[in-house]
Amino acid sequence: MSKEASDRFPSFPPRRRFLQGMGAAAGSAMLGYGLPRSAWAESFSGDLVVSNWGGDWNANVVKALESPELEAKGMTIRRDLAGAPERKTKILAERALPRGTIDIANFTDADAYELQLQDALETLDYDKIPNARHLLPGMKTPYFIPFGLSGVVLIYNPDKIKTPPTSFADLMNPAYAGRVGLIDQIYYNYFFALGLLDGGGMSNVTPAFKQLLELKKAVNPRIYPSHQQTEAALASGEIWITANYLARAAQWRANGLPVRAAYPKEGAIAYQTGMCIPKKARNKQNAYRYLNAMLTPAVAQRMATLTYYAVPIDNAALPPEQAAAVEFTAAERQKLNHFDLEYTAKNQSAWLDWWNKNIKV
């Protein structure tokens, strides 16, 4: 990682300063998103069931999008919160029903690809999502719209690890035995990251099985169920190093943790989270309203401030210092490793089974 990249967090202003300074940067976009005054008072009746992860991610989605843009305008939102495997299973099971129980769902691009292969997702009508015209190049697919962008990097405590890590191989350093943390929630990223160490790639994680077993033998990693537990473990000193999203490094740094992000020489593992509409959704009209509101500058600004994920639209008008904190540099973007979605969809369930039997135990 370049000095500019590794130093991005020490100079990153506290969240309060962003909230105070966003008014000037956002201007009219925070109020009306460039729409006519008549659109400001638009009301949304009816209900909507949102399928999402729980924890601080869902809390931030509520703060940035659902509460101010939808519930405040009359929409009733009910939330179905669980891990991705459980929620995918539910959507797949409901394909046989006249109507399902979920109207819109938050998944990774890989999970969404898997669902659409099994004919579980609506083909999106972009005429109903006018704000989608501001999506960045490559962000538009027939079944999925990104909401947040980041990538898996190394996150470490410089008070405990004096020499910054440079490779995913550093997770296997015996000097860190008992001090490495992995997150069950993002297990599949570790297959790609460790596979890259031994000739693997984004279409071949076969080397990762051996590497993961060697990592377990070398450092006996602690496995945490979610990002929040990992943050707590870093805060207490229980662990010194992990591999997680750049966005989480920035968020934890802003929360007061003494952590740094290091870009691995193998390249980060690219990450997209976003929304899709199940084919058997009951209220597709409100689902489209959700998608359109999601792509407004005000929501993008709030999401970047609350979660530190990069945004998928070209008109978010993030302040330069905020953009620098949440986005990869040009050189880092060139080295990003992007999922082979077809390969991932075919193998992800088998990887989860192997992970549960061999690493998580």
Side-chain angles (χ1 to χ4, degrees):
M1 185 180 247
S2 66
K3 184 177 189 302
E4 291 78 5
S6 62
D7 287 349
R8 54 160 66 99
F9 300 138
S11 61
F12 189 62
R15 184 172 290 149
R16 183 178 298 175
R17 277 182 53 197
F18 274 133
L19 292 171
Q20 292 171 341
M22 279 172 58
S28 62
M30 286 289 285
L31 299 173
Y33 326 126
L35 296 176
R37 178 174 293 273
S38 61
W40 297 4
E42 185 177 6
S43 62
F44 298 145
S45 61
D47 68 349
L48 186 77
V49 178
V50 180
S51 172
N52 209 339
W53 293 278
D56 64 347
W57 171 257
N58 177 70
N60 288 328
V61 172
V62 172
K63 291 177 186 176
L65 166 61
E66 295 174 1
S67 178
E69 305 299 331
L70 301 170
E71 290 178 307
K73 298 177 181 178
M75 189 180 293
T76 299
I77 293 181
R78 293 184 287 120
R79 298 173 179 92
D80 182 10
L81 307 180
E86 297 87 351
R87 295 186 293 113
K88 283 194 296 182
T89 298
K90 187 173 189 177
I91 289 174
L92 290 172
E94 291 182 349
R95 288 176 298 175
L97 301 178
R99 286 288 181 270
T101 61
I102 295 169
D103 298 314
I104 193 164
N106 192 175
F107 287 110
T108 67
D109 55 349
D111 286 330
Y113 182 85
E114 180 182 352
L115 287 169
Q116 69 88 25
L117 282 181
Q118 300 183 68
D119 198 33
L121 298 183
E122 181 83 356
T123 298
L124 298 175
D125 181 352
Y126 276 90
D127 288 339
K128 297 179 180 178
I129 318 169
N131 288 326
R133 68 185 184 276
H134 290 291
L135 282 168
L136 296 171
M139 295 287 103
K140 186 183 293 187
T141 73
Y143 58 89
F144 173 84
I145 295 183
F147 194 18
L149 313 174
S150 195
V152 176
V153 298
L154 296 159
I155 304 174
Y156 70 102
N157 183 339
D159 295 335
K160 304 294 185 180
I161 299 176
K162 302 300 183 180
T163 301
T166 60
S167 167
F168 287 124
D170 289 310
L171 294 170
M172 305 167 70
N173 188 335
Y176 309 150
R179 301 297 184 177
V180 176
L182 301 179
I183 303 175
D184 187 46
Q185 190 171 316
I186 63 170
Y187 72 92
Y188 54 93
N189 287 282
Y190 303 130
F191 284 87
F192 289 106
L194 295 185
L196 292 171
L197 301 177
D198 192 22
M202 302 308 284
S203 301
N204 174 26
V205 303
T206 300
F209 295 95
K210 178 182 177 182
Q211 294 289 328
L212 281 165
L213 291 174
E214 290 183 359
L215 180 146
K216 184 175 182 179
K217 181 179 179 181
V219 300
N220 191 25
R222 300 174 186 268
I223 310 298
Y224 299 97
S226 71
H227 301 286
Q228 289 91 328
Q229 283 86 352
T230 307
E231 180 182 10
L234 282 165
S236 69
E238 183 173 272
I239 62 171
W240 300 345
I241 186 171
T242 185
N244 202 334
Y245 307 131
L246 176 68
R248 289 290 174 171
Q251 180 184 2
W252 296 342
R253 176 78 179 174
N255 289 346
L257 267 65
V259 296
R260 296 287 189 277
Y263 196 89
K265 64 184 181 183
E266 298 83 18
I269 309 299
Y271 174 79
Q272 289 187 21
T273 181
M275 296 290 179
C276 49
I277 301 175
K279 184 164 285 189
K280 294 302 178 71
R282 302 166 308 109
N283 195 335
K284 293 180 182 178
Q285 180 182 30
N286 275 353
Y288 276 108
R289 288 169 169 168
Y290 189 108
L291 291 175
N292 199 54
M294 181 181 87
L295 298 178
T296 58
V299 171
Q301 291 161 359
R302 288 193 289 261
M303 283 298 290
T305 299
L306 291 167
T307 71
Y308 298 91
Y309 282 86
V311 301
I313 57 176
D314 62 15
N315 62 335
L318 300 182
E321 59 182 354
Q322 186 177 25
V326 303
E327 296 173 357
F328 287 115
T329 67
E332 290 166 349
R333 287 196 298 272
Q334 285 189 332
K335 293 193 69 176
L336 277 172
N337 296 286
H338 294 272
F339 289 126
D340 178 332
L341 294 177
E342 182 177 3
Y343 175 73
T344 304
K346 288 180 179 178
N347 293 282
Q348 195 170 353
S349 61
W351 298 340
L352 177 59
D353 184 62
W354 188 90
W355 170 268
N356 287 337
K357 292 177 180 177
N358 294 278
I359 304 300
K360 186 177 178 179
V361 294

